[in-house]
Amino acid sequence: MREIVLVYLDRSGGLQKFVHDCKKYNDSKQSYAVYRFIISINPSDIAELDATLGNYILHNPIQAAQIFQSVCFIAIKTLSLIEQLQTEAQISILLKPTHLPPLPSYVLSLSAFPFNYTSQRFYMSEGIAIAMGTVTKYTQGARFLCAEETCPFSEGRFRYIRVHMPGATESATVRNDFVCSLCSSPLQEDMKFRVLGDKQIVEMIDAKVLNALKGYSSDKSYFRIQTFTVFLR
């Protein structure tokens, strides 16, 4: 699959964009614990190259991102794109599909039963934004060091890296109860390596509410309209 990923990135122009993004990181004087890359993907093109990889991206995007992560790490090391990069864990890949298959199973509808959205795959959802919060900061990545000075993990390499994953809470990335796997001492965050990003909370409602607002009659004796919350990161 790594070979197919490299072929696709080369043909789609994604590799050139990736090299350009690496140059911006390499030229920056700021120190990063995590290097974040957004890679646009066309599921149809990938499926034509390799059906297994295309299906994997659509249904297991988090695991598929790890394949892209491995390819990007090898490319950085082979081409010496980011001198400061030490470990593969420092790379965060966000796969951004250009579209999804026009099939009902890829549409997220919170007004339809039963709710069977247990997988962490890509879905499409349409709605009306009725409220938007202010843009705030969240932690995309952080570096931790062992608090025990005699421990080898108290300095040096990027041994403990926390990266925000889709669907995770803030406490999954940064909190004060992480412990060292070597000596069981508490871990302390190295604040100068914290990577911040923007997030915004949007309150949405299903687009079908428009029919009710237009006064269309319904055969049902009652119905309920409920909003849902979307986190934009």
Side-chain angles (χ1 to χ4, degrees):
M1 285 189 182
R2 292 185 179 91
E3 294 181 4
I4 300 298
V5 166
L6 185 59
V7 171
Y8 173 75
L9 291 177
D10 185 37
R11 293 183 180 179
S12 65
L15 188 59
Q16 183 178 359
K17 179 182 180 300
F18 174 73
V19 172
H20 177 71
D21 292 340
C22 287
K23 186 177 185 302
K24 291 192 296 183
Y25 277 124
N26 197 47
D27 294 342
S28 175
K29 296 181 180 179
Q30 183 179 349
S31 298
Y32 294 90
V34 176
Y35 298 88
R36 189 168 185 261
F37 299 95
I38 299 177
I39 299 180
S40 296
I41 54 175
N42 186 318
S44 299
D45 290 346
I46 295 179
E48 290 182 3
L49 284 174
D50 187 89
T52 301
L53 178 60
N55 185 69
Y56 199 58
I57 290 174
L58 287 173
H59 298 90
N60 299 281
I62 295 179
Q63 290 78 8
Q66 295 175 356
I67 300 177
F68 280 79
Q69 178 189 34
S70 178
V71 172
C72 291
F73 177 73
I74 295 174
I76 290 175
K77 285 301 184 181
T78 303
L79 303 176
S80 301
L81 299 176
I82 302 178
E83 296 180 1
Q84 307 94 319
L85 181 70
Q86 294 185 15
T87 65
E88 184 176 320
Q90 290 180 259
I91 300 177
S92 175
I93 299 296
L94 177 63
L95 299 180
K96 185 177 181 181
T98 56
H99 66 280
L100 292 179
L103 300 172
S105 59
Y106 291 96
V107 178
L108 176 64
S109 176
L110 298 180
S111 64
F113 287 94
F115 298 144
N116 188 28
Y117 305 112
T118 56
S119 65
Q120 293 181 317
R121 73 180 195 185
F122 290 117
Y123 289 100
M124 294 180 292
S125 180
E126 290 186 353
I128 304 168
I130 61 174
M132 300 178 68
T134 58
V135 177
T136 58
K137 296 294 183 181
Y138 79 102
T139 302
Q140 289 183 350
R143 176 197 188 190
F144 289 82
L145 297 173
C146 182
E148 177 54 53
E149 296 182 357
T150 59
C151 179
F153 298 149
S154 63
E155 58 183 11
R157 292 180 60 85
F158 288 77
R159 171 71 181 185
Y160 298 110
I161 300 294
R162 305 293 301 182
V163 181
H164 175 83
M165 298 295 290
T169 60
E170 301 292 327
S171 62
T173 308
V174 178
R175 61 175 190 259
N176 57 10
D177 61 347
F178 296 131
V179 296
C180 178
S181 60
L182 184 62
C183 66
S184 299
S185 297
L187 295 180
Q188 295 178 344
E189 183 185 355
D190 189 352
M191 293 299 297
K192 66 178 179 290
F193 284 96
R194 176 179 285 197
V195 181
L196 299 177
D198 294 332
K199 76 171 181 179
Q200 188 174 23
I201 299 177
V202 180
E203 199 75 11
M204 299 189 68
I205 197 165
D206 195 285
K208 292 181 180 180
V209 71
L210 287 177
N211 292 334
L213 296 178
K214 290 178 181 178
Y216 291 166
S217 61
S218 174
D219 295 335
K220 299 180 180 179
S221 59
Y222 65 89
F223 63 91
R224 184 181 69 177
I225 300 172
Q226 182 171 330
T227 62
F228 58 95
T229 304
V230 176
F231 289 82
L232 303 179
R233 300 184 184 269

